[in-house]
Amino acid sequence: MTDDTGKQWTELYHANEDEDAPLMPSKPLPFVEEIVAVLEERGYETVLEAAAGEGRNSQRFVEAVSDLHACDISEEALSVCADRTGGRVTSRRADVRDLPYDDGAFEATIMLDALTHLREVELVLRELARVTEPGGHVVFNMPVEGDDAAATGDLVDDWGALAEYEYATEGHDVTYMFVGERDRFTALLSSYGLRVERVTTWEWRDPPHPQYRRREHDHRNVVVYARTGG
């Protein structure tokens, strides 16, 4: 995430603070139940949801995890998250490039629909791995070829393992980082001590997002389940 990216999302949440609807959809992402099943199967109790935003998914995770932590760069978003979860989440304003948590503080770390908007993907992945205990899970999603953001956005850079698109409308430029070549991306994760255990592919249709995406749009994402410890 560059400083511009963080400022961009802070401004989007701030601009939407007085709107009747939240910035992002209120219904959890379609693969959240799949993630919850993994958390429950492993018996994870202390979990971090990084870049949790307005708690779209936190409201479900808090039902399955006894000690859920959430962080985000936006105070406005965290306020909505607190309301949605009934104050049952320990929240903290934080930059995901430099998480304010000890090494191995969490049994699992989750980051959904956020890594794609952060240009410094490698730095963020290292931080997610750092705060997750050895053998724990790091779970995240990212778009792949076929996602609507590629069709409606502009390709900015292609590094093989990752590709960067930009979606621009009404004065807001939103970054979308895509998984490119799967083998190269897996090798990238391995260099941070993250071993890919499972990858699932999901397609769904999202309603409009106030402030920057005003039409329904299709998503095609992979959900990556990686274990720390190499």
Side-chain angles (χ1 to χ4, degrees), residues 164-179:
E164 178 182 348
Y165 288 83
E166 184 177 81
Y167 181 89
T169 182
E170 300 184 21
H172 296 294
D173 298 330
V174 179
T175 295
Y176 285 88
M177 300 298 294
F178 275 56
V179 172

Side-chain angles (χ1 to χ4, degrees), residues 13-207:
Y13 280 120
H14 181 72
N16 198 67
E17 187 178 16
D18 296 328
E19 299 292 330
D20 292 333
L23 181 66
M24 302 299 290
S26 58
K27 184 179 179 181
L29 287 160
F31 43 80
V32 163
E33 289 302 323
E34 176 184 272
I35 297 172
V36 166
V38 171
L39 299 177
E40 292 180 334
E41 177 186 356
R42 298 286 177 177
Y44 290 142
E45 297 180 352
T46 305
V47 174
L48 171 67
E49 185 183 1
E54 298 165 318
R56 175 183 187 179
N57 306 301
S58 313
Q59 59 189 333
R60 178 64 183 96
F61 291 138
V62 78
E63 296 175 355
V65 176
S66 60
D67 186 19
L68 181 66
H69 295 247
C71 68
D72 198 272
I73 199 167
S74 168
E75 292 283 5
E76 286 89 353
L78 288 174
S79 177
V80 177
C81 179
D83 289 342
R84 282 181 168 172
T85 59
R88 292 178 290 164
V89 175
T90 302
S91 62
R92 189 170 185 178
R93 186 181 184 278
D95 185 331
V96 289
R97 298 172 300 181
D98 185 20
L99 290 169
Y101 304 105
D102 293 338
D103 295 357
F106 302 98
E107 295 169 297
T109 303
I110 303 167
M111 189 168 182
L112 302 183
D113 261 16
L115 190 59
T116 183
H117 296 306
L118 309 176
R119 292 186 180 93
E120 294 171 2
V121 171
E122 299 175 29
L123 178 57
V124 177
L125 285 171
R126 280 197 291 266
E127 276 295 275
L128 298 181
R130 180 186 66 78
V131 302
T132 306
E133 68 178 26
H137 273 87
V138 173
V139 183
F140 62 90
N141 70 305
M142 287 185 72
V144 292
E145 184 178 354
D147 192 278
D148 179 72
T152 56
D154 296 317
L155 179 63
V156 177
D157 283 297
D158 187 347
W159 299 281
L162 295 166
E164 178 182 348
Y165 288 83
E166 184 177 81
Y167 181 89
T169 182
E170 300 184 21
H172 296 294
D173 298 330
V174 179
T175 295
Y176 285 88
M177 300 298 294
F178 275 56
V179 172
E181 298 173 25
R182 303 283 183 94
D183 289 345
R184 291 179 66 176
F185 187 68
T186 298
L188 182 69
L189 293 176
S190 180
S191 70
Y192 310 141
L194 290 171
R195 175 176 54 84
V196 175
E197 182 178 72
R198 179 186 181 195
V199 178
T200 59
T201 302
W202 290 78
E203 298 183 17
W204 74 98
R205 190 167 184 81
D206 249 357

